[in-house]
Amino acid sequence: MSEIGAGSDPPSPSLSVASSEPSKGSGNTGFDANRIAEVKAWLVSQFDAVGKDVPDFEYTSRSIAHLHNFATLSQAKTQAATIVANDFRQKAAEYRSQAARIREILEHVGLVQESLPSNVVSSSQVLASVANLLNIRDTELSSFLVAMADQSLRKTAVEEKRAKVQQESKELLDYTRKAIARLTYLKRTLSQLEDDVPPCEAQMEHWKTNLAIMESKERQYLQQYSNYKAMLNRVGYSPDISHGVLVEMAEHRKDLEKKTKPILETLRSYQDLPPDKALAALAIEDKKRQYAAAEKYLEDVLQSALASSE
């Protein structure tokens, strides 16, 4: 059969795509005349087998290649089937011959089916049925025991598989029940969440409104902060000047005003003095020194206050 299957040739690449009858083809047309003849003979045999004529069609390189492959495979399978059928026929003839010989032997010893009691015939049929069921070739007790042991092992394996499948089914059923319970809980939770959506949306809208107001206030406060910062930069404010320093400087200023006020009043009283330039000049110089000393004292106090704040 392998030799028959190996006899199929691949389609020839030299076939050209053309439309012509095989009777017109020659070696120059590109068609394989032998292959076309094989294809025609195979088609005729197949259609004759069903009592029909071969339909007309164009013989092209592609159609011939396909049909030749079909014909080769069909012939190979037909030949293989014929060989198998002949083998089966030969075996059937041998079985019939053996059955006739066994029947002849049984007739000589008086054990033909017609001469046996009905219970023996029925028992023999049951024995044969059991043998066929157990797939044994004879009716020996050892064969029955081996077959029964094999059936027992198979039964044990089937029972184990059945127990395993039942356990898996039980686990799957348990998982299914748990999944259904979880699904019910999730559906209930989803329903509650859907009910909570409108109040939450209203609260979110309220928060969005408040957020817009707060953003507006933030921009306003940032603008005021920028304005106050620019104002402080214009008046010369620095972070080193704290509230305590300012209070201390104000107190020192008041003290200095108290000390300088009598001096200023004395200087104003000198405006009523007679026009003596020498005495007036001496008095003025004295007051200037006192005023300069007071200013120096005020400056020292301010410097010490700044240094202590740092």
Side-chain angles (χ1 to χ4, degrees):
M1 293 174 63
S2 62
E3 293 177 357
I4 295 171
S8 60
D9 297 331
S12 176
S14 62
L15 295 176
S16 61
V17 180
S19 177
S20 62
E21 293 294 328
S23 60
K24 298 179 181 179
S26 62
N28 297 327
T29 60
F31 286 94
D32 190 348
N34 294 330
R35 184 165 293 183
I36 295 174
E38 292 176 2
V39 169
K40 287 190 65 177
W42 177 75
L43 289 174
V44 170
S45 64
Q46 296 300 316
F47 280 92
D48 287 344
V50 294
K52 294 184 179 180
D53 297 332
V54 179
D56 295 333
F57 64 93
E58 293 181 349
Y59 286 87
T60 62
S61 59
R62 186 174 181 181
S63 63
I64 291 172
H66 284 294
L67 290 173
H68 187 268
N69 287 334
F70 291 153
T72 304
L73 292 174
S74 176
Q75 291 172 0
K77 290 183 178 180
T78 301
Q79 188 173 0
T82 302
I83 293 173
V84 173
N86 292 332
D87 182 60
F88 286 161
R89 292 191 188 96
Q90 184 178 357
K91 288 181 179 179
E94 292 176 357
Y95 290 152
R96 284 194 294 270
S97 176
Q98 187 176 2
R101 186 168 59 254
I102 293 173
R103 182 178 180 82
E104 184 179 355
I105 294 172
L106 291 175
E107 287 177 352
H108 281 88
V109 297
L111 295 178
V112 294
Q113 183 176 354
E114 291 78 4
S115 63
L116 293 175
S118 60
N119 58 348
V120 174
V121 175
S122 61
S123 298
S124 300
Q125 291 177 352
V126 170
L127 189 64
S129 300
V130 173
N132 290 328
L133 181 63
L134 296 177
N135 194 20
I136 56 179
R137 303 174 68 98
D138 52 51
T139 57
E140 295 290 337
L141 180 60
S142 59
S143 300
F144 278 100
L145 292 177
V146 171
M148 293 299 294
D150 184 56
Q151 291 296 324
S152 178
L153 293 175
R154 291 183 180 179
K155 178 183 177 182
T156 304
V158 169
E159 289 177 351
E160 292 177 355
K161 290 182 180 179
R162 181 181 179 183
K164 185 177 179 181
V165 170
Q166 288 180 349
Q167 182 65 24
E168 292 178 354
S169 301
K170 185 177 179 181
E171 292 177 357
L172 289 175
L173 181 60
D174 189 19
Y175 291 155
T176 304
R177 290 174 179 172
K178 291 181 180 179
I180 292 173
R182 291 179 181 177
L183 179 61
T184 305
Y185 173 74
L186 291 175
K187 286 183 177 180
R188 190 183 306 113
T189 305
L190 178 61
S191 177
Q192 293 177 358
L193 292 175
E194 289 178 349
D195 295 337
D196 294 340
V197 166
C200 292
E201 289 181 347
Q203 185 67 27
M204 288 180 63
E205 291 295 332
H206 180 65
W207 287 346
K208 286 173 65 176
T209 304
N210 292 340
L211 182 61
I213 295 173
M214 292 176 67
E215 288 179 351
S216 176
K217 290 291 185 181
E218 181 186 8
R219 289 192 295 270
Q220 180 181 354
Y221 293 154
L222 289 174
Q223 185 63 36
Q224 291 179 359
Y225 172 76
S226 178
N227 296 336
Y228 292 151
K229 189 175 181 180
M231 185 186 299
L232 292 174
N233 290 332
R234 285 197 301 271
V235 299
Y237 172 79
S238 64
D240 297 334
I241 303 174
S242 62
H243 179 69
V245 174
L246 293 175
V247 171
E248 186 177 356
M249 291 175 65
E251 292 177 354
H252 283 293
R253 182 173 177 275
K254 290 179 179 179
D255 293 339
L256 291 175
E257 285 179 351
K258 290 179 181 179
K259 292 179 181 179
T260 56
K261 186 175 182 180
I263 298 172
L264 291 175
E265 290 177 354
T266 304
L267 290 175
R268 291 191 188 97
S269 64
Y270 284 131
Q271 295 178 359
D272 298 332
L273 293 175
D276 187 353
K277 293 183 179 181
L279 293 175
L282 290 174
I284 290 170
E285 289 296 332
D286 185 35
K287 297 299 181 183
K288 283 182 178 182
R289 284 193 300 270
Q290 292 179 5
Y291 188 75
E295 285 184 348
K296 187 175 184 304
Y297 176 74
L298 178 60
E299 184 178 356
D300 293 338
V301 170
L302 291 175
Q303 292 294 333
S304 63
L306 292 174
S308 63
S309 64
E310 292 177 357

